[in-house]
């Protein structure tokens, strides 16, 4: 239905411990420094207007960093772009 364009938007979309891996190439995806932001944008695209996106990512108030190609730990600066 999605490829045919007939899939109705979801009331809610949830992602827990997934987005921080997007774009790092660890799981066969292409390297893309904005892969996590693009993944969240795609999630919003399939969420109905007024719907909910539940997002769980690692966060440190002192600032984020990249753990090689394993995952991102978000700080206030990059996190605000996710939400």
């Amino acid at each position: 239905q999605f490829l045919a364009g007939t899939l109705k938007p979801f009331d809610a979309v949830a992602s827990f411990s997934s987005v921080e891996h997007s774009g790092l190439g660890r799981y066969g995806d292409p390297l893309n420094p904005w892969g996590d932001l693009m993944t969240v944008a795609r999630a919003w695209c399939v969420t109905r207007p007024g719907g909910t996106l539940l997002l769980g990512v690692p966060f440190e108030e002192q600032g984020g960093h990249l753990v090689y190609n394993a995952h991102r730990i978000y700080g206030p600066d990059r996190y605000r772009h996710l939400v």
Side-chain angles (χ1 to χ4, degrees):
Q1 288 178 330
F2 177 74
L3 294 176
T6 60
L7 181 67
K8 294 182 181 176
F10 296 98
D11 293 333
V13 174
S15 173
F16 186 81
S17 191
S18 176
V19 169
E20 65 269 19
H21 303 285
S22 296
L24 299 179
R26 184 174 179 132
Y27 298 104
D29 55 324
L31 292 176
N32 184 337
W34 302 283
D36 55 337
L37 304 178
M38 292 171 64
T39 298
V40 171
R42 288 179 183 135
W44 278 120
C45 285
V46 297
T47 306
R48 72 168 173 78
T52 301
L53 175 61
L54 175 63
L55 188 62
V57 295
F59 181 86
E60 289 182 358
E61 190 65 45
Q62 305 86 342
H65 59 278
L66 185 63
V67 182
Y68 187 56
N69 75 330
H71 61 275
R72 295 173 182 87
I73 297 178
Y74 292 88
D77 292 333
R78 190 162 182 104
Y79 181 77
R80 72 173 160 222
H81 294 288
L82 288 178
V83 297

